[in-house]
Amino acid sequence: MAKINKLTDSFLKSVKCDNGKKFIKFSDPSIKGLYVFVYPSGRKLFKTRQANDTYITLGEYPLLSLAELREIAINSHKLKAKGQNISNAKRLKFGVLYDEVLENARKSNLAAKTIQRGLSYKEGIFKSLEYKNINDIKRVDIVNILKTIEHKSATLQKAKIWINKVFEYALQLEIIENNPVASIKNNIVFKKPNQVIHQPTLLDESDIKEYINTLIHSDIKQSHKNLMLFVLLTAQRPGNVIKATWDEIDFKNEIWTISAQKMKMRKEHNIALSKQAISILKNQYAIKVNDYVFAGSSKKGCNSENITCNTNKRLGYKGIQSAHGFRAMFRSIANEKQLEHGVSMDIAEQCLAHEQKNAILKAYNRSKNIELKRRLMQWWGDYIEKLAGKLS
């Protein structure tokens, strides 16, 4: 084993393994037990020696800088002193663990939208933690970060779930000894928002009629009108409508099936399509340009999720009617006119893909009740068309 007085970047860049050797190794004078293995291929691996004279690889130079590799080596010594697995030395940074949690979420088929939200939190409100050793992150640090979004209760809750996932993951790997997120009680630590903001919707029949007529007779692109009408007629989440693909549509049986991966509750969802909704789909199929039902202007993908907000803004209904608000419209009117359509609100909740909290009803509702859904959704389509006239 060669000896050197000081391990530097210039030395690492110039050193080579030749003369037919499998490798050459150097000890790092600054850290006991840290070695650099140099191979004929040019690879340079940093390894730390264990008591049984075996080595654990900590990282490769220059993929990791000399400073980063030394930090990992120091961490490995700390873990070894605690009797913990030193292979975790290169996973102590919060950002590294967060990436592993995201990757595990992808492998478990968590909805792409949910994973994207988790990534946005990592790159946004948790950005300052990325390069911190997770053992150095205190409860107060997490509280102070979350307090910046306490006025957005839904965002606060979702962000807290993601950071909790990271600490729980580190806890299971025995990288940390306790999870500081677990002791943070929202109702005690954070201020309650002044008011709960609901998605705006119209409930008066004359207002609904006026909205639909305004949409139909506007100079907005026809495919955008069709998208808005389809959201209204199906009462589904705008994101699911925007990302709907033609292979999800069964024209013969008049059913739209959304896969579990795309659904918020991670369960396949079957939507019975009314005659009015089918008519909208046929109009869209006539101008089909790609696999998406509501293709974007680029003809390579779907529309942006901002399309519904922008459409309502152009119509003059910003803050008055939202696309997501169509779901509340459907639920409220279906409940009010239950005697008219004769279908229980349990079925209406299933049409909306709402999670059934009652355990008995949840078990009972495993059957898709597609015919009852069809009856209710056709009533809804007829109700809308009766208000506003022919939609397409």
PDB file of all heavy atoms in Angstrom, residues 77 113 145 181 268 300 314 352 369:
ATOM      1  N   HIS A  77     -17.698   6.603  10.925  1.00  0.00           N
ATOM      2  CA  HIS A  77     -17.058   6.384  12.234  1.00  0.00           C
ATOM      3  C   HIS A  77     -18.038   6.644  13.368  1.00  0.00           C
ATOM      4  O   HIS A  77     -18.052   5.924  14.380  1.00  0.00           O
ATOM      5  CB  HIS A  77     -15.824   7.280  12.371  1.00  0.00           C
ATOM      6  CG  HIS A  77     -14.636   6.810  11.588  1.00  0.00           C
ATOM      7  ND1 HIS A  77     -14.054   5.582  11.766  1.00  0.00           N
ATOM      8  CD2 HIS A  77     -13.938   7.407  10.588  1.00  0.00           C
ATOM      9  CE1 HIS A  77     -13.043   5.427  10.921  1.00  0.00           C
ATOM     10  NE2 HIS A  77     -12.942   6.531  10.196  1.00  0.00           N
ATOM     11  N   LYS A 113     -49.222  12.242  -9.600  1.00  0.00           N
ATOM     12  CA  LYS A 113     -49.500  13.594  -9.122  1.00  0.00           C
ATOM     13  C   LYS A 113     -49.065  13.745  -7.665  1.00  0.00           C
ATOM     14  O   LYS A 113     -48.529  14.784  -7.265  1.00  0.00           O
ATOM     15  CB  LYS A 113     -50.991  13.899  -9.257  1.00  0.00           C
ATOM     16  CG  LYS A 113     -51.367  15.329  -8.912  1.00  0.00           C
ATOM     17  CD  LYS A 113     -52.836  15.586  -9.186  1.00  0.00           C
ATOM     18  CE  LYS A 113     -53.226  17.018  -8.864  1.00  0.00           C
ATOM     19  NZ  LYS A 113     -54.646  17.283  -9.155  1.00  0.00           N
ATOM     20  N   ILE A 145     -40.294  25.707   9.705  1.00  0.00           N
ATOM     21  CA  ILE A 145     -40.550  25.602   8.265  1.00  0.00           C
ATOM     22  C   ILE A 145     -42.036  25.463   7.991  1.00  0.00           C
ATOM     23  O   ILE A 145     -42.601  26.137   7.127  1.00  0.00           O
ATOM     24  CB  ILE A 145     -39.775  24.410   7.667  1.00  0.00           C
ATOM     25  CG1 ILE A 145     -38.285  24.740   7.614  1.00  0.00           C
ATOM     26  CG2 ILE A 145     -40.289  24.072   6.268  1.00  0.00           C
ATOM     27  CD1 ILE A 145     -37.412  23.579   7.196  1.00  0.00           C
ATOM     28  N   VAL A 181     -41.016  14.576  13.991  1.00  0.00           N
ATOM     29  CA  VAL A 181     -42.272  15.011  13.380  1.00  0.00           C
ATOM     30  C   VAL A 181     -43.468  14.438  14.141  1.00  0.00           C
ATOM     31  O   VAL A 181     -44.524  15.064  14.246  1.00  0.00           O
ATOM     32  CB  VAL A 181     -42.345  14.594  11.896  1.00  0.00           C
ATOM     33  CG1 VAL A 181     -43.610  15.135  11.237  1.00  0.00           C
ATOM     34  CG2 VAL A 181     -41.116  15.069  11.135  1.00  0.00           C
ATOM     35  N   GLU A 268     -59.252   1.762  -8.499  1.00  0.00           N
ATOM     36  CA  GLU A 268     -59.835   1.933  -9.828  1.00  0.00           C
ATOM     37  C   GLU A 268     -61.235   2.517  -9.701  1.00  0.00           C
ATOM     38  O   GLU A 268     -61.999   2.150  -8.821  1.00  0.00           O
ATOM     39  CB  GLU A 268     -59.889   0.577 -10.533  1.00  0.00           C
ATOM     40  CG  GLU A 268     -60.415   0.658 -11.958  1.00  0.00           C
ATOM     41  CD  GLU A 268     -60.483  -0.702 -12.620  1.00  0.00           C
ATOM     42  OE1 GLU A 268     -59.458  -1.116 -13.205  1.00  0.00           O
ATOM     43  OE2 GLU A 268     -61.540  -1.352 -12.542  1.00  0.00           O
ATOM     44  N   LYS A 300     -49.006  16.720 -28.724  1.00  0.00           N
ATOM     45  CA  LYS A 300     -48.193  15.625 -28.187  1.00  0.00           C
ATOM     46  C   LYS A 300     -48.667  15.180 -26.814  1.00  0.00           C
ATOM     47  O   LYS A 300     -48.311  14.108 -26.342  1.00  0.00           O
ATOM     48  CB  LYS A 300     -46.721  16.053 -28.108  1.00  0.00           C
ATOM     49  CG  LYS A 300     -46.081  16.284 -29.461  1.00  0.00           C
ATOM     50  CD  LYS A 300     -44.616  16.663 -29.299  1.00  0.00           C
ATOM     51  CE  LYS A 300     -43.973  16.888 -30.656  1.00  0.00           C
ATOM     52  NZ  LYS A 300     -42.536  17.263 -30.534  1.00  0.00           N
ATOM     53  N   ARG A 314     -61.742  33.640 -18.412  1.00  0.00           N
ATOM     54  CA  ARG A 314     -62.148  34.271 -19.665  1.00  0.00           C
ATOM     55  C   ARG A 314     -63.659  34.468 -19.733  1.00  0.00           C
ATOM     56  O   ARG A 314     -64.161  35.431 -20.309  1.00  0.00           O
ATOM     57  CB  ARG A 314     -61.690  33.418 -20.851  1.00  0.00           C
ATOM     58  CG  ARG A 314     -60.222  33.554 -21.191  1.00  0.00           C
ATOM     59  CD  ARG A 314     -59.890  32.843 -22.488  1.00  0.00           C
ATOM     60  NE  ARG A 314     -60.624  33.413 -23.616  1.00  0.00           N
ATOM     61  CZ  ARG A 314     -60.603  32.907 -24.845  1.00  0.00           C
ATOM     62  NH1 ARG A 314     -59.898  31.803 -25.082  1.00  0.00           N
ATOM     63  NH2 ARG A 314     -61.278  33.474 -25.821  1.00  0.00           N
ATOM     64  N   LEU A 352     -68.565  10.095  -7.130  1.00  0.00           N
ATOM     65  CA  LEU A 352     -67.527  11.104  -6.895  1.00  0.00           C
ATOM     66  C   LEU A 352     -66.199  10.494  -6.456  1.00  0.00           C
ATOM     67  O   LEU A 352     -65.221  11.203  -6.260  1.00  0.00           O
ATOM     68  CB  LEU A 352     -68.003  12.097  -5.826  1.00  0.00           C
ATOM     69  CG  LEU A 352     -69.174  13.000  -6.223  1.00  0.00           C
ATOM     70  CD1 LEU A 352     -69.767  13.679  -4.990  1.00  0.00           C
ATOM     71  CD2 LEU A 352     -68.741  14.045  -7.243  1.00  0.00           C
ATOM     72  N   ASN A 369     -71.895  -1.262  -8.344  1.00  0.00           N
ATOM     73  CA  ASN A 369     -73.227  -0.655  -8.473  1.00  0.00           C
ATOM     74  C   ASN A 369     -73.333   0.183  -9.743  1.00  0.00           C
ATOM     75  O   ASN A 369     -73.894   1.281  -9.733  1.00  0.00           O
ATOM     76  CB  ASN A 369     -73.526   0.231  -7.253  1.00  0.00           C
ATOM     77  CG  ASN A 369     -73.719  -0.594  -5.998  1.00  0.00           C
ATOM     78  OD1 ASN A 369     -74.324  -1.669  -6.040  1.00  0.00           O
ATOM     79  ND2 ASN A 369     -73.207  -0.113  -4.891  1.00  0.00           N
TER      80      ASN A 369
END
